[in-house]
Amino acid sequence: MALPGMSLSLTDICGAHVARRGYLRHPAPHGRSASRCACLGGFDPAELFALGRDIGALPLFAAPTIVKRLVDHAEATGETPETCATAFKTIVYGGAPMYAADIQRAMRGMGPRFAQIYGQGESPMVGTVLSRSHLMDSQHPQYAARIASVGVAQTPVQIRVTDAEGRDMALGEVGEVLIRGDSVMAGYWRNPDATAAALREGWLWTAIWAHSTPTVFSP
């Protein structure tokens, strides 16, 4: 199980999830924003640094491999955390495992502008979060365990770690991650069998394996 204050550590980011491919049915929220969206033809670290300095420090979502390339560029061109602040406001990473050594290197080179989110298409971007404040708090006695985890449950969802029968696992034991909340999909498009397998009694069975720990995010 995972409750507020408990961390979640992924054992296998891929799991068996690939077997459930298909279109998803989500409610379609619409909103208005005064933000600007820049469309680029590919990934070029130098172009992103220049773009941020041209239109204003960028908020950015990036896979860990992209973060690494940004850090490589920053180091190669003599950027500092202070100069990186003129190009990037916040860099949210996810979509794949981030090595603890890599995020520590990123913060040394580019400053305290990183946060991690974990989720999947069936509950897009909403699962757990490892906040900027958690990543910055290097003096915390559980810091090493914190940055090796995917953080704590985000506010809109509940998360559990269970066995194949839906029974909560003891703390530290590996089980499947279950998510419940308004962000969870309505189902797979025209695939009732896959929907029935993934959505059971209001919980999304993610086919991702993890374990939870009770004290990592205690004050």
Side-chain angles (χ1 to χ4, degrees):
M1 61 190 303
L3 302 172
M6 293 183 182
S7 67
L8 193 67
S9 296
L10 298 185
T11 300
D12 178 1
I13 193 74
C14 296
H17 172 67
V18 68
R20 295 180 182 164
R21 287 180 179 169
Y23 293 103
L24 315 180
R25 293 186 291 118
H26 278 287
H30 296 276
R32 294 181 178 178
S33 171
S35 62
R36 299 172 65 179
C37 180
C39 297
L40 307 178
F43 176 72
D44 181 343
E47 184 178 17
L48 278 180
F49 271 87
L51 180 65
R53 286 167 179 150
D54 180 40
I55 68 173
L58 303 173
L60 177 71
F61 177 81
T65 51
I66 298 299
V67 172
K68 186 176 185 302
R69 290 178 62 185
L70 286 171
V71 176
D72 288 344
H73 174 82
E75 291 180 349
T77 55
E79 299 280 359
T80 67
E82 292 72 27
T83 61
C84 287
T86 66
F88 299 99
K89 181 178 181 180
T90 301
I91 300 175
V92 179
Y93 62 91
M98 171 70 85
Y99 292 111
D102 286 344
I103 189 58
Q104 289 176 298
R105 174 186 172 222
M107 290 188 292
R108 285 195 304 270
M110 296 186 67
R113 61 198 76 264
F114 294 91
Q116 178 182 210
I117 57 174
Y118 152 72
Q120 59 180 193
E122 289 83 346
S123 181
M125 303 298 201
V126 182
T128 66
V129 61
L130 187 62
S131 70
R132 186 189 305 215
S133 62
H134 289 142
L135 286 167
M136 288 171 55
D137 189 9
S138 60
Q139 300 306 307
H140 193 280
Q142 296 285 347
Y143 182 69
R146 283 183 168 192
I147 66 171
S149 77
V150 290
V152 297
Q154 294 189 39
T155 301
V157 299
Q158 295 174 284
I159 290 182
R160 298 166 59 206
V161 177
T162 77
D163 64 15
E165 304 302 321
R167 295 183 293 258
D168 288 332
M169 303 298 293
L171 295 174
E173 292 186 355
V174 173
E176 185 170 353
V177 178
L178 276 58
I179 301 177
R180 180 169 67 183
D182 291 341
S183 62
V184 172
M185 68 173 181
Y188 294 101
W189 180 253
R190 295 181 179 177
N191 195 338
D193 291 340
T195 298
L199 298 177
R200 305 179 222 167
E201 299 181 348
W203 291 91
L204 169 66
W205 291 62
T206 66
I208 294 175
W209 301 91
H211 65 84
S212 57
T213 53
T215 61
V216 171
F217 287 88
S218 299

